[in-house]
Structure formats: structure tokens, C-alpha cells
Amino acid sequence: MRLWFPRVMIALAAPVILGSCSGDLSALDPAGPYAGAIANLWWVMLIGAGLIFALVISLFLLVLYRPGFGSALSARRWMIFGGLILPVPVLLTLIVYGLAKGEYLLGAWQNEPVIARVEAQARMWKWEFAYPDMDLSNDATGVLHIPAGGVVEVSVTSTDVIHSFWIPRLAGKIDAIPGHTTRLRIKADAPGRYGGICAEYCGTGHSAMRFTVEAHAPEIYRQRLTELTTAKADR
């Protein structure tokens, strides 16, 4: 009977936990290498933390159910081994791995060329996108068009307060700062639609500050932008 409540809670929570691992805004369902690097880092951190937690719980249970366990080691040695020798290499490994992934996300250690550049401008409470390569001015429809299969560099800025540009399935977050331009690289492995949001609270309309990314096959990307330019000129 004592196990009834935890089992019910796990059964109720399981669909929520599993559901959060997929979907349009899931960072654990990557659709490109940059988002994939973040997902891999998350899983490594989770597994590392889980192993450490399992070790600590195992030692606790051994002490609880086997009195005298570990008495061969002095308290000083337990502190040295458990508090210094064990954590230091584990933490150093995780730090080095995390820094390496961070350098990759910033564009280091890769020679893949940028095939398109776009500009993202945030304002309360919408995103406007421009395509300097096509001389297409800001489009306030909340849809960002990119070519699939190649690296796209996004220049991000803001006209009012600090926002945060985030496409969970394609890349990490980057701040949109008034008077300053930050740059982020994204890549979609395949054509499709991906969700984007503002990840920094920016006022009463923050929750609705979303946008959509449409990744097109490379051969029709410029055609699609040309259609947008023509449609805007006719309005």
C-alpha cells in the first residue's frame, strides 16, 4: 500500500515527461546539427548526474542496511575520496565536453560555408525578418524562410527591450539586444516547418511572440523569396 501513491504519480507524469521530448518546440527532438549538439549535451549531463545520484543512493543504502559498511576507511578518507577525488574528474570531464559543444555552436571547429544570411528584428511583440541577399525588406508575417541542408547565419537585434531568439529544434537561444547585433547559426537537415519563440520575458504579449521557420529545398528557396518580393510589391 505504501507504494501505491508513487506508482500513481509516475503513471500520471509519464505522458507529460514523454510528451515534452517531442513536438514543435522540443529541444530534445533536434532537426539539425546545432540543436543536436545541445540535445547530446543534455543527455550526457543527465546520464552523468544519474550515475552520480545512483552511486550516492547505493552507498546510503549500504550504510543503512549493512551497519559497519565502510568502517575500514576513516572519516577523513571518506571526505577525500568522496568529496574530492571522485567529483573533480567527473566535473572536469563534463566541463570540457560542455565547452567543446559551446565552441561548436559559436561556429568554431567547422568549415561548412554559410549559404544564406537573414536578419531577425524583435519588437513588442512580433518578429520581423529581412533577407539582405535578396534585398527583401522586413516581413512582419512572423515566418522565417531558410534553405534546408545548409548553414544559415541569423543576425538578431531588437528595437525596444531585450528579447531572446530561439528555434528549439534547430539551434540554441541568443539574445536580441537593442542597439546591438548578435549572430546565430542554424541548420535544418530537411525541408519542413519548425516553431520559434521569444525565450526572454518581454512584457504582457510575451507568450504570443512566436514565429514559424519554413525550411525549403535549396532549389526552390530563392524562388519562394522572389514570390514574396513580388507579392509585397503588388500590395
Side-chain angles (χ1 to χ4, degrees):
M1 291 296 294
R2 287 182 298 176
L3 296 178
W4 176 83
F5 181 72
R7 286 179 178 174
V8 170
M9 292 304 295
I10 292 173
L12 292 175
V16 177
I17 295 172
L18 294 176
S20 64
C21 294
S22 61
D24 201 31
L25 296 176
S26 174
L28 299 181
D29 185 20
Y34 298 106
I38 295 173
N40 290 339
L41 178 60
W42 188 90
W43 283 112
V44 168
M45 293 292 185
L46 177 65
I47 293 171
L51 292 175
I52 294 174
F53 179 76
L55 175 61
V56 172
I57 292 300
S58 298
L59 291 174
F60 171 76
L61 292 175
L62 284 172
V63 171
L64 187 65
Y65 291 105
R66 294 185 58 184
F69 170 80
S71 58
L73 289 177
S74 65
R76 178 183 177 85
R77 288 189 175 183
W78 272 111
M79 292 175 63
I80 292 175
F81 282 100
L84 184 62
I85 295 179
L86 174 63
V88 168
V90 173
L91 292 176
L92 282 177
T93 302
L94 292 176
I95 288 173
V96 171
Y97 182 76
L99 291 175
K101 288 297 182 181
E103 288 297 308
Y104 172 75
L105 293 174
L106 291 175
W109 306 350
Q110 55 178 315
N111 298 317
E112 191 171 358
V114 174
I115 65 170
R117 288 178 169 83
V118 298
E119 297 173 352
Q121 187 178 80
R123 65 175 69 241
M124 295 179 176
W125 285 277
K126 61 184 178 181
W127 292 94
E128 298 176 343
F129 302 106
Y131 307 85
D133 294 342
M134 295 288 292
D135 194 27
L136 179 60
S137 59
N138 281 357
D139 176 19
T141 61
V143 179
L144 171 60
H145 300 273
I146 64 170
V151 176
V152 178
E153 185 177 83
V154 186
S155 299
V156 184
T157 189
S158 170
T159 62
D160 36 51
V161 300
I162 295 178
H163 302 272
S164 183
F165 181 86
W166 189 25
I167 311 168
R169 297 189 63 202
L170 298 183
K173 307 173 188 176
I174 196 166
D175 284 343
I177 304 171
H180 182 74
T181 300
T182 54
R183 289 177 174 81
L184 176 72
R185 289 186 173 189
I186 62 176
K187 181 180 178 180
D189 288 333
R193 294 173 64 91
Y194 308 96
I197 59 172
C198 173
E200 179 80 19
Y201 181 74
C202 53
T204 56
H206 166 71
S207 61
M209 193 171 173
R210 299 193 174 198
F211 61 95
T212 300
V213 179
E214 289 190 4
H216 306 279
E219 60 271 15
I220 67 170
Y221 170 66
R222 289 190 173 274
Q223 176 186 346
R224 178 58 177 151
L225 289 187
T226 300
E227 292 172 356
L228 289 173
T229 305
T230 304
K232 188 167 185 178
D234 293 340
R235 287 202 297 264

